[in-house]
Amino acid sequence: MQVLLAVISGGYAVGAALNWGSEEVAEIMGDFGLSAAGLLAAVSCYSYARAIDSRERPAWLLFAFSSLMGAGGNAVWGWYEVVLGQPVPKPSLADFAFLCFAPPAIVGLLVLAKRPVTRAGWVCLGLDSWLIGGSLLTLSWSLALAHAARTAQSGAPGSVPRAALSLAYPLLDIALVSMVLVLHFRRSESNRSAVNTAIAALALTVLSDALFTSPLLSAEYQSGQLLDAGWFAGSLLLAYAPWGARRIHPGLEPAGHARGDRPHSRPITGSLPALTPYLAAAVCTLGILYNVVDGRKVDRMVVFTGCTVVLALVIRQGIMLLDNIALTQELAQKENHFRSLVQGSSDVIMIAAPTGTLRYVSPAAAGVYGREAEELVGTELATLIHPDDLGRVVHEVRRFLAAPPTEEPTTRIECRFKSGGGEWLNVESTVNRHQGGLILNSRDVTERVRLQAQLQHSAEHDPLTDLPNRALFTRRVRQALTGRRAGDHSTAVLFIDLDGFKAVNDTIGHQAGDELLIEAARRLQDSVRAGDTAARLGGDEFAALILGDGNRDRSAREYQVREIADRLRTTLSQPYRIGGSEVRVAASIGVAFADPGITPSDLMRNADLAMYRAKAGGKDRVEMYAPQMQAEVVRKAELAGRLRTALHEGEFALLHQPVVSLSTGEVAAVAAQARWRSAQGILFTPAEFLRVAEYSEGGAGGAGGPGGAGPDPSRTAELGRWLLEEAVEQAADRHRAGHDVPVAVRMTAQRLLDRAMPLGSVEALLTRHGLPSGSLVLELAVSDPRVPFDDLERRLTALHRLGVGISLDGFGSGYAAISALRRLPVDMLKLDRGLVEGVVESARLHKITAGLLRIANDLGMRSVADGVDLPEQVSALRAMGCTHGQGMAFSGPLDEYRLRRALVRGTFPVPGGAAQPALAGGSPGGSMAIRRGSHNETPVPPT
């Protein structure tokens, strides 16, 4: 568009310079050509005014009207010259149209001007306009207009209208030029390109008008001459202004050229608005001097105009002086305000030059850095930053300065800053741009960084031993498997458990246990190599990460790691001096290697499995992981999974094993035992499923460990409830059928006191099924010394009053047999199977068993031997005073049908015949409680 505009304007100028080849064409192009250009400008400005919706619309409508008046004046001029072939009369309708061109344009320029916000601003706008217009009027009057005025005063016919017309053109042009200059210094920021183009178009039109009205050209002007090219180009430029100029709307400026970041104006360009009044006064003075030097009499018009210009300049300068005084006071107030803010701020504010030299440092530096602000001014910023942080800081500053300000106005940098005492402070700085340099708002965050480090350390370390905790240990194992050591398969993980630590807590207290753990952690930390990691995983469980040395020989690496593990085991098993006494614990250690493709979780699980295998193998030993360990865990997990659904699927069956009098062979009671007949038809004995079901309840350890792999306590409780309810219900049925034989149900002390078992549930069960007093015996297993005997005594006493018999199960094993005999209402003692099995072969066991039976007989209690499988055992036990026996020597566990047949028969053959006991005891009959202490029960005969 710009090239096309230049070509058309240039072509018109060339044609006008050559007089278009003929007078007729010159007149047509000089009149109707200019009319067409003006009409085009009018249509363009009008269309643009309708397309926009802003405060600029009235200005472009006024420009359209001005162009329309110019087009109308040229059309009338052409009508006289081209159509009628007559000279244009003066004055004429064309003159009226031409005179109507300037006023709308002047008003339009005022609309586009930046509006003052105060009354003083409006006054200054009017004074600036008069300063420019008055100075031009003085100069024009001195050069040409005075002559036209004197002509009008001569009184010749027709001279007054012609003189007035000759004065009107330049006066309107002077007013238009004044507005053009004022607008140039006060133009609005919006659509700047279009406004500048419109100003240029009007300026070109005014220049052509000035040349036309000058005495040198006005007398010889003819249509189609070169002067018309100025008007033609001005009209085309005004038509092009709203559409062709590149417009930049607010918020769409290119990056790096936002309003606040435009390059600073040159000093001369920026001073032109301030110099305008003085330039106008100078022009006015030149007009007066021209008359004086030329020897002319100074015209009163010139003197009047010059005086008004000087007066306007004085008024304007007075307003500016008052404005400057107000601005100076406001600036001083703001300066004091910001100085108070900077000096009173606890943050250190520094200004660095583009070279990195500090130009200003706020007084807060003395309190924060321990260095006076004057001492830091002139210092290179790089010399104050820690060398390890300098590269990172320089990189961040360069990146920040290269980024567009609109996208990243500020950045934040944290580094170490040298204080006056020589130590390094952690400093956080907010950085802003400032004239090519930087403004840094800095604060001391050393305490925050120290606190963060402490929190990080606390989150990753055990609070008691200060060793890495499970989270940090897991992360380091992951780093060892995925970092530069990823291909080193000699890396190993050791899981360590302190055997006997629970007894330390229970006997001498938790405080002593904590001291032991601290000492064990110290020994562990001192025993591992530099670069390895020792950690506490929780409780009495520790772990160690042994980094490999790249050795691919499996036997060599196993030997090396085993040697380390044995050394750790020996060190941890040394006596501990706690509270003036010597305490001993042992260590079970499991070892797993980082085999190819293993994950951190699998590696730690393998070490855990090996550790549980070490504990199961006798404790105080080192066990290397083998794949079959995981297979065993999977098998137990599958069994536990099937056990979870067995109760709901009705796969459990209740069997009863007779308890027989060793003297008469009579059935004195039946012991209830659960059997699991799986969906595959396999009948599992308690030796196969109860060790899983009761692992967490029987005191053997936690069911959640890899060695237990059993169900949760809720499943165990559910199985116990089912066993008790089923046994009571079947006993009630047998009682109604005439078989008054007590049923013995095994129950642990922990289960009896479990809050999940509502108080009074046993009593309610007896009432619901109508089981008479003396028909239920609870075989109590007390294997955990932590059982509260006070609560247990109260519970058993309440049950004993209702006629529930109490049998102490597993007598001769466990922790609390003597305390139970002393405090609990026990009716019977049930010998542990381990004593019965060796009573014939072992003289030592024979004496121990005889002593226990003597205690039972002296206390007036009945005794039951569990696991009596051989006739020799029957004879030996009967001779030692045992009253009753249970085992394959009489019968295995029976289903309900076979049990009732046995009860009808009433007796079993007694090996060796009937005999009287050596020691007096209770009667053979009566309420009895039977169940073995271990889970190696008598196998079930084929059914």
Side-chain angles (χ1 to χ4, degrees), residues 314-576:
V314 172
I315 296 174
R316 188 184 187 283
Q317 289 304 105
I319 295 175
M320 294 301 296
L321 179 59
L322 295 176
D323 196 18
N324 287 338
I325 293 174
L327 288 176
T328 302
Q329 293 176 349
E330 183 180 358
L331 181 61
Q333 291 177 356
K334 290 183 177 180
E335 184 178 355
N336 292 332
H337 174 69
F338 286 110
R339 181 181 293 108
S340 299
L341 288 178
V342 171
Q343 293 180 351
S345 174
S346 59
D347 293 350
V348 180
I349 300 175
M350 301 182 292
I351 299 177
T355 59
T357 304
L358 293 178
R359 297 302 185 196
Y360 173 80
V361 179
S362 66
V368 176
Y369 299 147
R371 305 179 67 173
E372 296 297 331
E374 294 78 8
E375 178 186 349
L376 292 174
V377 173
T379 306
E380 292 289 337
L381 185 60
T383 61
L384 304 175
I385 299 175
H386 195 283
D388 294 342
D389 300 339
L390 183 58
R392 175 174 53 84
V393 172
V394 171
H395 179 269
E396 174 63 18
V397 168
R398 289 177 177 173
R399 184 202 61 78
F400 170 66
L401 293 177
T406 54
E407 296 181 6
E408 191 174 4
T410 64
T411 188
R412 182 166 295 178
I413 296 176
E414 188 168 330
C415 63
R416 285 167 288 180
F417 198 90
K418 192 173 185 179
S419 68
E423 66 271 12
W424 294 99
L425 304 176
N426 292 94
V427 175
E428 182 186 65
S429 301
T430 302
V431 184
N432 294 270
R433 299 173 180 84
H434 176 68
Q435 296 181 357
L438 300 172
I439 294 181
L440 298 95
N441 191 350
S442 306
R443 62 202 62 88
D444 182 10
V445 294
T446 303
E447 288 301 322
R448 189 194 71 186
V449 172
R450 185 179 295 115
L451 179 59
Q452 288 177 343
Q454 291 176 354
L455 293 176
Q456 182 72 17
H457 182 85
S458 299
E460 295 180 341
H461 289 76
D462 175 56
L464 179 64
T465 63
D466 203 39
L467 289 179
N469 59 13
R470 183 181 293 272
L472 180 56
F473 183 77
T474 303
R475 184 163 69 251
R476 291 188 179 177
V477 171
R478 183 178 297 108
Q479 291 172 354
L481 296 182
T482 58
R484 58 185 179 86
R485 295 179 178 271
D488 187 358
H489 305 310
S490 59
T491 296
V493 169
L494 281 61
F495 266 43
I496 306 163
D497 186 84
L498 299 182
D499 305 321
F501 174 75
K502 178 175 169 295
V504 174
N505 272 342
D506 295 336
T507 55
I508 62 177
H510 289 275
Q511 179 64 33
D514 290 345
E515 294 179 15
L516 189 148
L517 289 176
I518 294 173
E519 176 62 21
R522 186 191 63 78
R523 295 183 184 184
L524 179 61
Q525 184 67 52
D526 293 342
S527 300
V528 298
R529 306 170 305 175
D532 296 339
T533 300
R536 183 191 178 203
L537 304 184
D540 60 341
E541 288 190 356
F542 295 85
L545 172 63
I546 309 300
L547 299 178
D549 54 4
N551 190 356
R552 295 184 177 274
D553 187 352
R554 186 177 183 87
S555 59
R557 68 170 182 169
E558 288 185 0
Y559 175 81
Q560 181 183 16
V561 174
R562 179 178 283 275
E563 185 179 21
I564 296 174
D566 281 330
R567 185 173 68 251
L568 289 176
R569 182 187 60 80
T570 303
T571 302
L572 294 174
S573 300
Q574 295 296 322
Y576 294 83

Side-chain angles (χ1 to χ4, degrees), residues 231-247:
W231 287 312
F232 184 82
S235 297
L236 291 185
L237 197 60
L238 186 59
Y240 165 79
W243 305 102
R246 184 174 61 89
R247 293 159 45 219

Side-chain angles (χ1 to χ4, degrees), residues 268 380 495 582 727 777 845:
I268 296 179
E380 292 289 337
F495 266 43
E582 190 176 89
V777 177
L845 284 180

Side-chain angles (χ1 to χ4, degrees), residues 539-666:
D540 60 341
E541 288 190 356
F542 295 85
L545 172 63
I546 309 300
L547 299 178
D549 54 4
N551 190 356
R552 295 184 177 274
D553 187 352
R554 186 177 183 87
S555 59
R557 68 170 182 169
E558 288 185 0
Y559 175 81
Q560 181 183 16
V561 174
R562 179 178 283 275
E563 185 179 21
I564 296 174
D566 281 330
R567 185 173 68 251
L568 289 176
R569 182 187 60 80
T570 303
T571 302
L572 294 174
S573 300
Q574 295 296 322
Y576 294 83
R577 197 72 183 174
I578 306 296
S581 60
E582 190 176 89
V583 178
R584 289 181 177 270
V585 295
S588 296
I589 302 179
V591 182
F593 287 96
D595 293 327
I598 195 169
T599 63
S601 59
D602 289 343
L603 178 59
M604 296 174 65
R605 180 206 60 197
N606 293 346
D608 199 19
L609 290 175
M611 184 267 291
Y612 275 97
R613 175 59 63 90
K615 293 178 71 67
K619 303 180 180 180
D620 192 17
R621 56 185 304 207
V622 176
E623 191 75 32
M624 310 294 287
Y625 171 77
Q628 55 267 29
M629 296 180 185
Q630 178 62 22
E632 182 180 352
V633 171
V634 172
R635 184 186 66 80
K636 289 184 178 180
E638 292 176 353
L639 178 62
R642 297 203 306 270
L643 185 62
R644 290 186 181 96
T645 59
L647 279 172
H648 301 288
E649 299 295 333
E651 296 180 3
F652 274 94
L654 186 65
L655 303 181
H656 295 82
Q657 188 171 25
V659 179
V660 180
S661 172
L662 297 183
S663 59
T664 64
E666 295 180 359

Side-chain angles (χ1 to χ4, degrees), residues 843-901:
R844 187 179 184 86
L845 284 180
H846 188 280
K847 293 181 179 179
I848 294 174
T849 305
L852 294 175
L853 290 172
R854 187 177 296 108
I855 293 174
N857 289 322
D858 290 344
L859 294 175
M861 298 180 182
R862 298 176 182 87
S863 55
V864 179
D866 185 20
V868 183
D869 298 333
L870 302 175
E872 297 83 357
Q873 295 172 345
V874 175
S875 300
L877 291 169
R878 184 175 57 192
M880 286 186 285
C882 185
T883 60
H884 295 81
Q886 169 186 344
M888 291 300 296
F890 305 106
S891 173
L894 304 175
D895 59 17
E896 187 66 20
Y897 172 75
R898 287 184 173 83
L899 176 63
R900 294 202 179 193
R901 288 181 56 187

Side-chain angles (χ1 to χ4, degrees), residues 23 74 147 149 155 197 209 270 353 413 558 602 769 842 863 904 937:
E23 251 183 69
N74 284 301
H147 176 72
T197 306
D209 286 345
I413 296 176
E558 288 185 0
D602 289 343
H769 293 287
S842 174
S863 55
V904 170
E937 294 193 7

